[in-house]
Amino acid sequence: MRIDKWLWAARFFKTRSLAIKACELGRVESNGVTAKPAREVKVGDTLKIRMEGGTEFVIGVLALSEMRGPAAVAQTLYQETEASRETRMKAAEERKGGAGDLGKCFLSAGD
């Protein structure tokens, strides 16, 4: 099955057009190789997906689906690696806590 269609079905992108654009911009890799939209995806493939905001997912493909279903079903199509999950969580914490730390610096400087 085409990787752009799978990315859409797995709910990484709202539309197939966005999935195609991500592939064309080199934001999707399949088994270490930059993936074009028509590249075939198979169970067992490892995908690296860089979202527009900088978030990066590294996932293993567990199943294929040509239909876009509910999020709960989409999540059964892949498994994110533990390292990928940890990296995303750290980045989210830094974005969330970063502004708070900056505010603390200003408060401390005035004391």
Side-chain angles (χ1 to χ4, degrees):
M1 115 171 273
R2 289 175 57 112
I3 198 166
D4 62 324
K5 196 167 190 178
W6 187 89
L7 289 167
W8 168 76
R11 294 185 162 263
F12 282 97
F13 298 96
K14 283 187 172 186
T15 65
R16 276 189 66 195
S17 296
L18 290 173
I20 289 168
K21 183 179 176 184
C23 291
E24 289 172 344
L25 292 173
R27 294 183 181 156
V28 179
E29 292 180 15
S30 176
N31 300 319
V33 177
T34 302
K36 293 184 179 177
R39 183 179 181 92
E40 289 294 310
V41 66
K42 304 178 295 296
V43 172
D45 283 354
T46 299
L47 305 180
K48 182 188 280 189
I49 306 154
R50 285 182 297 283
M51 306 305 275
E52 196 168 311
T55 304
E56 188 173 289
F57 293 88
V58 179
I59 60 163
V61 177
L62 300 178
L64 303 178
S65 176
E66 301 233 357
M67 292 177 33
R68 183 177 170 99
V73 174
Q75 289 173 352
T76 65
L77 300 178
Y78 63 91
Q79 181 171 11
E80 185 175 11
T81 65
E82 192 60 38
S84 172
R85 188 175 294 115
E86 287 176 13
T87 302
R88 277 191 318 105
M89 294 304 161
K90 282 182 187 174
E93 267 185 40
E94 287 173 8
R95 283 192 305 269
K96 195 185 268 186
D101 291 344
L102 186 59
K104 289 177 190 172
C105 290
F106 287 122
L107 290 176
S108 298
D111 289 340

